[in-house]
């Protein structure tokens, strides 16, 4: 209980720091933008302005994620028909990327399973897993196959969604850290995507885990709870 209390106050502290950073960060990035509109900026200084722009954008995404997490104390759990929801998700995800054709392989799911989950949270989790798979799951030929499969575990009867890719997979030592906050191997990432996704899964009584894709690459599984909440 003491540990829980400490974590809760740490969460509040982090959220208030994130909140306090927002205004000065906005000022820095605004000043940078005004400066970049000037015609008398040398080429070398433009490079420095780009650095300011890029890194203030990065801090801004960290701040947004931390604030979002601290606000999401309660989830709005509802009944979701997985196969319908996945079809909608595929369309949204494709539109979001500005593509004409879906980058996802969704042929695997056929049955309609019902799960109890917050729709926004589910979108955020699957969105992050698919974005990661597209970003990190590239093969040498630069081709990525991201597959989404929904099913029911034969023994526990729990519904699940798996997101798999055929990339290089994740090294065992690295895999132990990917759910830690701020762990990233990408210079443009915040390292909060999987941490937030696993926290959101917990809020909905589900579990997010990683294992190797048996055909090579990564496999992330979101395992839903079978318990029916009182809606
Ligand atoms: N499908 C994947 N294949 C290989 N590595 C992955 C995959 N998904 C995640 N990872 C590894 O896990 C790390 C953490 O992922 P996470 O989504 O938490 O953060 P990020 O993608 O680096 O940053 P952000 O999501 O904030 O942009 C990644 O940097 C990458 O090294
Ligand atoms: Mg990510």
């Amino acid at each position: 209980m003491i540990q829980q209390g400490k974590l809760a106050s740490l969460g509040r502290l982090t959220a208030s720091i994130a909140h306090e950073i927002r205004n000065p960060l906005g000022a820095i990035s605004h000043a940078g933008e005004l400066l970049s509109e000037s015609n008398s900026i040398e080429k070398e200084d433009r490079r420095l302005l780009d650095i300011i722009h890029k890194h203030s954008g990065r801090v801004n995404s960290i701040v947004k994620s931390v604030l979002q997490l601290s606000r999401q104390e309660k989830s709005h759990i509802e009944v979701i028909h997985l196969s319908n929801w996945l079809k909608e998700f595929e369309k949204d995800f494709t539109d979001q990327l500005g593509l004409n054709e879906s980058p996802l392989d969704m042929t695997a799911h056929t049955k309609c399973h019902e799960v109890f989950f917050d729709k926004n949270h589910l979108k955020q989790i699957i969105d992050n897993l698919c974005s990661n798979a597209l970003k990190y799951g590239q093969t040498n030929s630069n081709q990525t196959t991201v597959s989404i499969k929904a099913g029911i575990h034969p023994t526990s009867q729990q519904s699940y969604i798996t997101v798999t890719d055929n990339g290089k997979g994740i090294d065992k030592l690295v895999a132990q850290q990917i759910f830690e906050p701020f762990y990233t191997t990408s210079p443009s990432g915040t390292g909060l995507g999987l941490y937030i996704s696993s926290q959101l899964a917990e809020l909905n009584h589900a579990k997010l885990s990683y294992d190797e894709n048996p055909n090579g690459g990564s496999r992330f599984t979101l395992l839903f709870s079978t318990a029916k909440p009182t809606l």
Side-chain angles (χ1 to χ4, degrees), residues 63-100:
V63 165
K64 273 213 283 206
S65 303
V66 170
L67 287 176
Q68 191 187 35
L69 197 60
S70 68
R71 282 193 206 110
Q72 270 162 351
E73 274 155 15
K74 215 165 171 5
S75 43
H76 304 285
I77 293 183
E78 53 188 302
V79 183
I80 299 177
H81 295 266
L82 270 192
S83 57
N84 294 346
W85 184 87
L86 281 169
K87 274 183 212 139
E88 257 173 59
F89 171 82
E90 183 177 30
K91 192 182 170 304
D92 285 354
F93 191 73
T94 312
D95 289 349
Q96 226 166 277
L97 294 177
L99 299 172
N100 293 326

Side-chain angles (χ1 to χ4, degrees), residues 125-126 129 147 149-151 153 158-164 179 194 197-198 201 206-214 218-224:
I125 296 171
I126 306 301
L129 296 180
S147 311
K149 185 178 171 189
H153 196 279
Q158 282 170 281
S159 296
Y160 62 78
I161 297 180
T162 55
V163 177
T164 52
F179 292 105
L194 286 177
S197 301
S198 65
K207 192 162 172 31
L208 180 63
S209 60
Y210 167 79
D211 65 349
E212 272 171 35
N213 176 1
S218 298
R219 174 167 68 186
F220 285 87
T221 304
L222 180 64
L223 191 61
F224 296 92

Side-chain angles (χ1 to χ4, degrees), residues 40-71:
S40 54
I41 304 258
E42 300 287 326
K43 198 173 166 216
E44 182 56 15
D45 291 341
R46 287 235 168 257
R47 204 182 61 82
L48 297 179
L49 277 172
D50 283 346
I51 294 175
I52 294 177
H53 180 69
K54 183 175 154 208
H55 288 274
S56 39
R58 192 160 170 216
V59 177
N60 193 36
S61 10
I62 295 177
V63 165
K64 273 213 283 206
S65 303
V66 170
L67 287 176
Q68 191 187 35
L69 197 60
S70 68
R71 282 193 206 110

Side-chain angles (χ1 to χ4, degrees), residues 128 132-133 135-137 165 169-170 174 178 183-186 188-195 218 220:
N128 185 47
N132 278 351
K135 185 168 170 187
Y136 305 107
D165 64 62
I170 306 178
V174 171
I178 53 175
Y183 178 82
T184 181
T185 53
S186 155
S188 63
T190 64
L192 284 170
L194 286 177
Y195 171 68
S218 298
F220 285 87

